[in-house]
Amino acid sequence: MAILGSGSGGNAVFLEAAGTRVLVDAGFSCRELEARLAALGVDPAELDAVLLSHEHSDHARGVERFARRFGCAVAATPSTLDCLGLRPGGGLRVRPFENGGSFRLGKWRVVGVPVPHDAADPAAFRMETPEGSVGYALDLGHAPQAVCRLLAGCRAIIVESNHDLTMLEEGPYPRELKQRLRGPRGHLSNGEAAAFISEVATRETRSLVLAHLSRTNNRADLAMLEAHRALGRLSSEIRMTVAEQGPGAHWIEA
Ligand SMILES: [Zn+2]
Ligand SMILES: [Zn+2]
């Protein structure tokens, strides 16, 4: 897998397993997605699908143009497709899925579960591949039991670690925005992410990616410190990466 970029400026993750290639979220312009994939040597025309977690622009900005241009299907819940005005036709292929159920994507089985976030029907994913499972949970105000169960024991886990609570409190954001971010339908703090990680990481887990860090209200070292503490003895066995916003994606073996 490779994180093309993550944060409020755009999110996209490229995953390849068992010959199936998927872009999870497409929160950059089509041109930027192309450039970031090209830097990895990935031909966008070989993608099987773009899987969308929700309609916010930092996750869906380039999806329509990208999917039309390269002929890959867009998999998303009906509400997410609706919000983005994505309907099949004119070269666009859509794959609606019910949040809470499972569906096939190439050689994978994907399970989506609703997450608490201020979007129409946002989802976290467990992507079960013949080479192991990958969990993806970005943009959630808190982690309900169903999401913990979904990601438990995944080989690779990509999870939001949005803000350090103290930095957010003392930072420059207006009060309403601070409330939204730390609210139950906003974003996970480092502490919440760490508690979540301690529940879902197991001896099967090889790789952990902390993602969607706030540039203003977080620092990579703080997020990693809390995650390491939460993992305890497992932390020496799990490769931990902090996803960056800018270009310069690198491969992460899961
Ligand atoms: Zn969002
Ligand atoms: Zn987001």
Side-chain angles (χ1 to χ4, degrees), residues 81-92:
L81 291 168
D82 221 38
C83 285
L84 292 165
L86 297 179
R87 283 179 200 86
L92 188 69

Side-chain angles (χ1 to χ4, degrees), residues 11 53-59 117-119 122 138-140 160 180 185-187 212:
N11 295 275
S53 63
H54 64 299
E55 72 276 15
H56 288 163
S57 64
D58 60 321
H59 297 258
H117 184 57
D118 48 9
L138 300 194
D139 291 36
L140 62 169
E160 167 172 66
R180 187 207 146 221
R185 283 161 57 82
H187 291 270
H212 216 299

Side-chain angles (χ1 to χ4, degrees), residues 4-223:
L4 301 190
S6 184
S8 57
N11 295 275
V13 175
F14 173 76
L15 293 170
E16 175 172 7
T20 296
R21 300 180 182 91
V22 172
L23 194 62
V24 187
D25 284 335
F28 297 96
S29 68
C30 178
R31 180 191 291 233
E32 187 66 26
L33 289 168
E34 271 184 83
R36 293 187 184 214
L37 286 168
L40 293 165
V42 174
D43 178 358
E46 291 181 349
L47 281 172
D48 294 281
V50 180
L51 176 61
L52 287 185
S53 63
H54 64 299
E55 72 276 15
H56 288 163
S57 64
D58 60 321
H59 297 258
R61 185 172 288 120
V63 67
E64 181 168 11
R65 186 178 285 250
F66 186 89
R68 281 189 193 281
R69 178 150 185 185
F70 297 109
C72 49
V74 180
T77 66
S79 300
T80 299
L81 291 168
D82 221 38
C83 285
L84 292 165
L86 297 179
R87 283 179 200 86
L92 188 69
R93 292 187 294 135
V94 299
R95 285 277 311 273
F97 65 84
E98 287 308 321
N99 213 351
S102 71
F103 56 100
R104 310 274 333 167
L105 217 51
K107 295 207 177 72
W108 308 358
R109 175 178 176 263
V110 180
V111 188
V113 155
V115 291
H117 184 57
D118 48 9
D121 190 14
F125 301 115
R126 182 186 183 100
M127 293 160 275
E128 297 174 349
T129 86
E131 297 168 16
S133 297
V134 179
Y136 182 91
L138 300 194
D139 291 36
L140 62 169
H142 63 280
Q145 271 309 308
V147 181
C148 293
R149 281 196 299 274
L150 180 76
L151 263 62
C154 278
R155 184 169 172 142
I157 295 168
I158 303 164
V159 66
E160 167 172 66
S161 195
N162 183 261
H163 55 273
D164 173 80
L165 258 189
T166 310
M167 285 181 74
L168 178 66
E169 292 302 330
E170 294 172 358
Y173 281 14
R175 200 158 59 99
E176 300 74 44
L177 184 53
K178 288 182 182 178
Q179 271 165 359
R180 187 207 146 221
L181 287 171
R182 65 173 177 237
R185 283 161 57 82
H187 291 270
L188 282 192
S189 69
N190 292 344
E192 289 167 326
F196 177 65
I197 289 160
S198 73
E199 282 208 39
V200 300
T202 66
R203 296 215 164 274
E204 310 303 313
T205 308
R206 290 280 158 270
S207 191
L208 172 67
V209 180
L210 304 177
H212 216 299
L213 270 72
S214 164
R215 275 180 173 169
T216 310
N217 305 305
N218 209 354
R219 288 201 330 248
D221 61 314
L222 295 175

